[in-house]
Each structure stands twice: as structure tokens, then as C-alpha cells.
Amino acid sequence: TEHQHVRYNPLRDDWVLVSAHRVKRPWQGQLEKPPPEDVPRWDPKNPLCPGATRANGEVNPKYEGTFVFPNDFPALQPDAPEPDDNDHPLFRAAPARGVCKVMCFHPWSDLTLPLMSVPEIRAVVDAWAELATELGASYPWVQIFENKGAMMGCSNPHPHCQVWASSFLPNEASLEDRSQRQHLSQHGVPMLLEYAEQEARRKERLVVENADWLVVVPYWATWPYETLLLPRRHVCRLQDLSDSEKDSLASIMQRLLIKYDNLFEVSFPYSMGWHGAPTGSYLEEDCRHWQLHAHYYPPLLRSATVRKFMVGYEMLAQAQRDLTPEQAAERLRSLPEVHYKKRAE
């Protein structure tokens, strides 16, 4: 727990340096501003609110649940032209097409997922599965992701996520596809199914669990309080979940995110996203090597104002973390599952 060492990440086929003693060093660096506590529930000037006018002039419906619409500033478009040919192999380009959508979780701007009810979170899960099915019918990769908090680049406090469907497999998807395929070929069992079984038995990195799911700080975690959300049975894609698994997913997400907020008693920032088997033409292929999972990458390290910076050694050599995954898991596991804002109620 005190001596530096490196740990192997089989999902990405790389290593992370664990230097647990570094968290004790004095900090005179940047301090982050905690997120505002006075976000208005409804603001006609907020383009994600019900009834508000967006940048393209469209008016949102007065939605009462989830709301999905095309991103007004998409990173991918379905009709992008072919790139020009290059005359040298060091200058390669390839077509990139797709669609980008925004999904609002709730009509209220002052709510986040940990403050929503389990049925409300279940509605979010249902919308995710519907989008994965709809876009996955033609696109090989559908990336559902949420950036929560200004610290993680979120430009609007309204509870929402993004869904980008692409005509290609992105880098992380290709890495995970290759590593999981190799593991199944060599060991005869999907990597993350075997990993979930091992973590459920060992328990030292377990944060929360229920009958269908478990959340762990992965053995190879890079971010300080990174977690991995895993199903207990073999599931390839989000849209393959049963109704009861969607219910229990909503419940365990709420429990995890309440613990995150309770850690430093702040609306905890993170980037999260779902990874599952590719879609589109891959729907006709054997994807048994894949296991559905969600990554949570929160940046906070010591407090609500001190974050982990991925710079210097991390950018030029390899990832490095400042406390062990076991220490992070123990701290998260011990936190209450009643949100700090509701304890006085």
C-alpha cells in the first residue's frame, strides 16, 4: 500500500504506475471552484430546459421525462465528404460519418442523477437502450457518455448526456475489442465476466453490489476514484438487458452516485460512458468476447477543490495514480447511501 509498483490493465493492454505515498505531498497548486448550489430549476435562457429556444431557433417541447434531440453542434455528421487522398503513408485520413444526439435526463436543471428517484433513473436507462438499438441498427459504434460538472468540460448544468454514433470503431473500442477477443480465445471465458466473478469473491475493491450488478474500483484504475460497473451475467449490449436488470441497474447507479457526492459533499464531477459489443454490421458477427460495462472517471483526488492532473509523466510516459485502488474502494464503500443533501430531511 505504500510502495510504488505498476499494474497491468488487460482491457487496454497497458500499465499504470501506482505511487500511493504521493498523496501525502503538500499541495500549493490549483484549487477548483465547487459547483454552484443555486442552479435554477427552470431557466428560459437555458437551451436544455423545457420550452426553451435552442441556438438553431428550435423550441424544446415542455417535456416531463427524458428528452432526446439532435446535437446543434455535432462532432459527426452523416453526409461528410470523403477526405482527399494523400501521397504518403505517413499522412493518412479516412472517412468519418455519424450522428450526435443530446439526451436530457429530467426537466429540472437543479437535479442530478444521484438526486433522482430510481424510477426516474430507470427511464434514463430505457432511453439509453432505445438509442443504442436505434442508432446501432446502422452504425458500428454508439457511444453513450455523460460529462458531469464544469471540471469535466460540461457546458450546461442541466442533467444530460450525449450519444455519438460513428461509422468507425473509435480507439478505445478497438482496444477493448482486441483484448477481449484474445482473452476469450486463450481462456474460454469473457474477460470481464471472469473479472467480475473474481472481484465479487475477493471484495477488497468492491464498492456496491446487488443481485445483477457490481461496482468496483478496478485493479488497474487510473483516476483516483475510478469505478467499473459490471453485470454478473454475460451481457453483450445495453439493449440485451432484461427489465429486472434495468431496474437493478437504476438502483445501483443511484447508490454509487450518492457515494460519489458524499465523498467530498459536493456534486461529484466525472466522465462516464457505456462500452458494449459493436453494432451495425457487427450484429451479424460473433461478439461473445464482449461484456457490457460502464466506466466512471472522476478527477477529484484530495477534496472538492483538489483534482488529479494527467500531465507530465502521464502524458509522456504512462498513467500514474496517487492512492491504491484498494484504498479508494474502502473509502467509497464506507460512505453512507443517503445523499448528504437529504440527511436533514
Side-chain angles (χ1 to χ4, degrees):
T1 59
E2 292 293 326
H3 300 289
Q4 67 268 15
H5 59 282
V6 292
R7 296 191 184 191
Y8 180 62
N9 180 345
L11 199 54
R12 300 191 75 258
D13 188 28
D14 63 9
W15 294 80
V16 58
L17 172 62
V18 182
S19 310
H21 56 285
R22 275 174 54 83
V23 79
K24 298 177 181 177
R25 72 191 192 281
W27 183 260
Q28 294 181 337
Q30 178 171 316
L31 298 179
E32 308 294 334
K33 291 183 178 180
E37 295 284 349
D38 57 349
V39 176
R41 179 155 292 183
W42 183 80
D43 180 355
K45 296 180 181 179
N46 186 328
L48 298 186
C49 281
T53 302
R54 303 203 308 274
N56 62 358
E58 291 194 20
V59 178
N60 296 334
K62 294 185 177 179
Y63 63 92
E64 297 181 350
T66 60
F67 170 50
V68 179
F69 62 93
N71 194 315
D72 296 328
F73 303 95
L76 293 163
Q77 296 177 325
D79 54 357
E82 294 275 339
D84 293 335
D85 290 332
N86 284 302
D87 58 359
H88 194 283
L90 292 179
F91 301 92
R92 295 167 59 191
R97 299 185 178 94
V99 297
C100 299
K101 294 182 179 289
V102 176
M103 186 182 113
C104 296
F105 296 153
H106 195 280
W108 295 355
S109 292
D110 58 343
L111 275 191
T112 56
L113 282 171
L115 293 170
M116 290 166 56
S117 68
V118 170
E120 288 170 335
I121 300 174
R122 167 64 198 267
V124 171
V125 172
D126 286 339
W128 282 343
E130 290 167 8
L131 282 169
T133 301
E134 172 195 338
L135 298 174
S138 52
Y139 288 101
W141 190 254
V142 180
Q143 184 59 66
I144 298 167
F145 65 98
E146 179 195 4
N147 294 326
K148 179 170 178 266
M151 199 182 302
M152 295 308 288
C154 183
S155 60
N156 192 310
H158 193 94
H160 72 285
C161 73
Q162 298 189 55
V163 184
W164 294 11
S166 61
S167 61
F168 55 91
L169 284 190
N171 294 342
E172 293 298 313
S174 296
L175 272 175
E176 292 194 1
D177 184 70
R178 183 168 65 247
S179 62
Q180 290 180 96
R181 188 185 299 275
Q182 184 177 14
H183 187 93
L184 180 65
S185 174
Q186 293 178 348
H187 302 281
V189 61
M191 177 197 293
L192 291 181
L193 182 63
E194 181 178 11
Y195 179 68
E197 292 170 350
Q198 286 288 323
E199 290 287 31
R201 181 175 61 82
R202 296 169 185 257
K203 296 192 181 302
E204 59 188 328
R205 285 170 295 274
L206 189 66
V207 177
V208 287
E209 63 179 329
N210 61 25
D212 300 312
W213 300 87
L214 67 157
V215 175
V216 301
V217 176
Y219 178 79
W220 53 80
T222 297
W223 292 92
Y225 292 96
E226 175 181 334
T227 55
L228 187 62
L229 172 56
L230 295 161
R232 292 184 184 270
R233 78 171 177 96
H234 187 204
V235 184
C236 289
R237 299 178 177 93
L238 196 61
Q239 52 268 47
D240 298 335
L241 296 174
S242 67
D243 281 344
S244 62
E245 286 170 330
K246 290 175 182 176
D247 284 338
S248 57
L249 172 57
S251 173
I252 204 166
M253 282 176 55
Q254 185 194 57
R255 294 169 62 197
L256 168 65
L257 297 180
I258 286 174
K259 284 179 177 288
Y260 269 161
D261 278 12
N262 284 344
L263 178 61
F264 298 128
E265 295 198 347
V266 69
S267 184
F268 205 68
Y270 58 74
S271 284
M272 70 81 63
W274 284 100
H275 283 172
T279 48
S281 61
Y282 291 88
L283 292 169
E284 306 301 321
E285 297 186 11
D286 183 359
C287 290
R288 287 177 298 164
H289 55 291
W290 269 92
Q291 175 74 330
L292 176 70
H293 58 283
H295 297 280
Y296 284 83
Y297 298 137
L300 290 178
L301 173 60
R302 303 180 185 214
S303 68
T305 59
V306 178
R307 66 175 297 176
K308 168 69 177 179
F309 287 90
M310 292 294 181
V311 296
Y313 189 87
E314 290 89 351
M315 295 176 70
L316 296 164
Q318 68 181 32
Q320 179 267 335
R321 61 178 291 116
D322 300 288
L323 74 167
T324 68
E326 293 75 27
Q327 290 167 335
E330 182 179 13
R331 188 165 183 188
L332 289 172
R333 188 168 54 242
S334 66
L335 290 166
E337 294 186 11
V338 175
H339 198 278
Y340 72 92
K341 288 186 176 181
K342 296 185 176 182
R343 286 179 202 157
E345 293 181 1

